[in-house]
Amino acid sequence: MSGDSKVPPDLDPVHGRTDDPLSADRRVLVVGAIAMVALILVGVVSAALFTRSACGRIVPDPVLPRAGGADVESVIDEALPDLFDDERSVLVEFLTGTDLGQRVGEVVAAVDVTGAERLVPATDGLVAATGTTTTLFEPGSGAVRATTSVGDGAVVGDGDTLYSLALTNPGTGQTDALVALDRALEGGDCLDTATVGTPFAFLLGAGAGELLLFRVEEDGETPEVELRDAERGEIWATPLQTPQIPPGVSGERLDAAMDADTVVVGRRFVADDEAPVLSGFDRATGEERWTTPVAAFDEIAPPGDGPVWVEVLAVDGDTALLGLARDDADDDARDDARDAAHLVAVDTADGAIRWISDADPVAPLAASIGGDAVTVVGMGGAGLEVVRLAVGDGSPIGAASSPVADTEQPPVRGGIAELPGGTLAVAGSGAVHLSADEVAAFGFDPAVAAQIVDVVAVGDVTVLLIVSGDGAVGVSFRAS
C-alpha cells in the first residue's frame, strides 16, 4: 500500500508523479555551476592573452655587427643602400668637403647603424646609436663593440645604462615595461608597469643611467615623479601637483628635462588652473624646491585663448629653457602648437621667469644650453633655422637665426653639439656652425633622400647621424 511505501507520496505512481520536483532546480544549479566555471576559465585565458606582459617584446637580442671603420665611402654604400650613386656622391662630398672640415674636423670613420634614430654619449668614451637596433661603437675608429635589437622596444637614455621601453603610446609616453641595458647592451630584469594594481608609468626623460617617470593611479590619484636606476630601482618618488584627470591625458600634457642637479617638470595649462605650471625638484633627493603658478605666465603666454603647451627643452646649471605654444586648434593640438613656440628662460634656483625671447617663434627640433648661450634648431618662418641667445637676458648672439638648406621633406629631428670652436647645429640636409664671431651655414642638395638627424661630441671627435629610408650611418670627424 502506498501509505506503507517508503517511496515519497509525490513520487508514488498512484499519485501520478514519477519525477522529483526538485530535479529541475538541481539541473539549473548544475548548468549554472558549469557555466560559471566556463566563464572563469574564459576570463583567465582572456586575461592571459590581453594582459600579457610587454616584457617579451622589448628584451634585447644580439645582432651581428655591421660595417664600421676608416673606409668611409664603403661603409656609407653599405649603410645607405637605398640611395642612388649620385646621391651618395653628393653626401660624401658634403662630409669630406673643406667647408665642414674646417669647422668640425677631418672625417676619420663611419659605422653602419641602421635602425638608429639618436646618438648619445655612452660609457668609457663610446657612442651609442639608439633605436630599435642599437649600436655601441668607438667614435674615433668606427669599431663596433655591440649591436642589439630590442624588438618593439624604444631605447632611451645615455651614460652607463640605457633603457628599452615598451612605449605603448609615444604621444602620451605610456610605458608598460622597461629593461635596463648594460655596458654590453645586454638586458637585466624586466619591470612590468602594466600589471593590475600597479600605477601607470609615463616616460618623462632619461639620462646619466637614470630614468624619469610620471606615475599615477588608474583614477588619476596619487600623481608622482619617480627617478629610477638599474641597480637601486626606485631612487625616489615625489608627489607632483597636477589636476586629477585621466592618466593618459596627464601623460600627454606633461614634459620634463633634467641635468645633474635639477629636474624641471612642466605641463599644459589654461588661465584658471590651480595647479602650478612648473615644478622643480632636487635630482639627488627628489625634494620639491619650488613651483611656478599660472599667474606668472599671464603676461608672457602667446596670444590667443586656447590652452598653452609647455615644453621643457633643456636644463643646465641655473637655467631651464621652455617652449610655450598656444593651442587654438581642435585636432592634432600638440603638433599644431609646436609650429609656433616662444622661447622662455626660467631660473632653476626659484622657478622665476628670467626672460622671453623676441626672436620669431620656432618649432623646436633640438635645444641646448652651453656656456653663456642657449641654442635652438627648428622650423621657423624662414624654413629651418638656428637661434642662439644669451643665457642671461635672451638677447641675440651674432646673427639670431640662419636658414639651413631648404628641403622638400621637413626634418623631424635635429641635434646640437658644443665643440671647442663653437656650436654645431644639424637637421635635415644642412648644418650651422656658430662661433664667437661668425655664423656659417652649409648643406647638401635637399633632393638627396637622406637627412642629418643628430650630432654628438665626445672628446675631440664629433659624430653625425645620417638616416635614409632603409638605413643609417654614423660619420666621425676628428678635430685637427
Side-chain angles (χ1 to χ4, degrees):
M1 296 178 60
S2 63
D4 297 329
S5 173
K6 295 183 180 297
V7 179
D10 58 352
L11 294 182
D12 193 330
V14 174
H15 292 77
R17 292 289 302 276
T18 60
D19 62 321
D20 184 349
L22 296 179
S23 63
D25 292 339
R26 294 192 186 98
R27 285 195 297 271
V28 170
L29 291 174
V30 170
V31 171
I34 293 173
M36 182 180 294
V37 171
L39 289 172
I40 291 173
L41 291 175
V42 169
V44 170
V45 172
S46 298
L49 290 175
F50 295 108
T51 63
R52 183 176 298 166
S53 171
C55 287
R57 306 197 307 270
I58 64 170
V59 294
D61 185 19
V63 174
L64 291 175
R66 303 188 182 97
D71 190 348
V72 175
E73 292 192 40
S74 176
V75 173
I76 290 176
D77 286 347
E78 189 165 335
L80 306 177
D82 52 328
L83 296 189
F84 293 112
D85 290 343
D86 58 339
E87 291 180 302
R88 278 195 290 268
S89 297
V90 169
L91 183 58
V92 170
E93 175 61 27
F94 165 76
L95 295 171
T96 59
T98 57
D99 286 347
L100 190 61
Q102 287 177 354
R103 294 166 176 81
V104 182
E106 178 187 2
V107 176
V108 293
V111 183
D112 183 348
V113 293
T114 297
E117 298 179 346
R118 282 293 187 191
L119 295 175
V120 296
T123 182
D124 301 327
L126 302 177
V127 169
T130 62
T132 53
T133 298
T134 295
T135 302
L136 189 66
F137 62 94
E138 298 175 6
S141 67
V144 176
R145 293 287 191 88
T147 304
T148 191
S149 170
V150 294
D152 294 333
V155 177
V156 299
D158 57 45
D160 289 352
T161 306
L162 306 176
Y163 293 88
S164 173
L165 307 182
L167 204 57
T168 307
N169 187 333
T172 66
Q174 183 174 340
T175 300
D176 285 354
L178 57 96
V179 175
L181 306 181
D182 64 17
R183 299 182 177 196
L185 299 184
E186 296 178 351
D189 294 335
C190 181
L191 174 64
D192 191 336
T193 58
T195 56
V196 175
T198 300
F200 283 103
F202 297 86
L203 174 67
L204 289 179
E210 296 175 343
L211 192 63
L212 187 68
L213 299 172
F214 169 59
R215 305 300 299 271
V216 64
E217 299 290 345
E218 184 178 359
D219 58 3
E221 290 188 344
T222 323
E224 293 182 324
V225 179
E226 178 187 72
L227 189 69
R228 306 184 62 86
D229 76 4
E231 295 181 359
R232 292 181 287 172
E234 180 188 294
I235 301 173
W236 51 256
T238 301
L240 177 67
Q241 299 182 56
T242 189
Q244 185 177 343
I245 54 181
V249 177
S250 278
E252 181 184 18
R253 294 179 178 180
L254 291 173
D255 196 43
M258 57 187 177
D259 68 357
D261 299 317
T262 308
V263 174
V264 177
V265 180
R267 67 173 186 86
R268 196 204 74 155
F269 67 91
V270 294
D272 58 352
D273 274 352
E274 296 182 358
V277 174
L278 296 178
S279 300
F281 303 90
D282 185 282
R283 171 79 177 257
T285 66
E287 177 186 2
E288 183 183 85
R289 290 178 178 171
W290 48 261
T291 60
T292 305
V294 172
F297 291 85
D298 285 346
E299 296 183 0
I300 66 170
D305 298 321
V308 177
W309 291 93
V310 177
E311 287 194 83
V312 187
L313 300 173
V315 177
D316 191 3
D318 63 357
T319 304
L321 182 66
L322 312 178
L324 301 185
R326 180 73 70 176
D327 172 18
D328 291 316
D330 294 329
D331 300 318
D332 299 324
R334 189 167 191 173
D335 291 337
D336 291 342
R338 283 174 59 97
D339 290 340
H342 297 255
L343 304 178
V344 177
V346 171
D347 196 315
T348 57
D350 56 10
I353 295 172
R354 187 181 297 166
W355 50 256
I356 179 169
S357 171
D358 292 331
D360 291 336
V362 295
L365 297 172
S368 73
I369 304 171
D372 61 354
V374 299
T375 305
V376 178
V377 57
M379 296 300 295
L384 192 61
E385 297 182 345
V386 176
V387 179
R388 195 164 186 243
L389 308 168
V391 167
D393 59 9
S395 59
I397 297 178
S401 64
S402 181
V404 184
D406 292 333
T407 176
E408 295 180 358
Q409 297 181 337
V412 295
R413 296 186 299 279
I416 300 170
E418 299 299 327
L419 309 182
T423 301
L424 181 68
V426 301
S429 61
V432 171
H433 185 262
L434 305 102
S435 63
D437 54 2
E438 69 170 346
V439 176
F442 35 89
F444 55 88
D445 186 344
V448 174
Q451 289 192 354
I452 312 173
V453 298
D454 207 358
V455 59
V456 68
V458 178
D460 63 347
V461 177
T462 302
V463 185
L464 300 185
L465 176 60
I466 302 167
V467 302
S468 64
D470 295 333
V473 64
V475 180
S476 296
F477 301 75
R478 188 184 299 278
S480 53

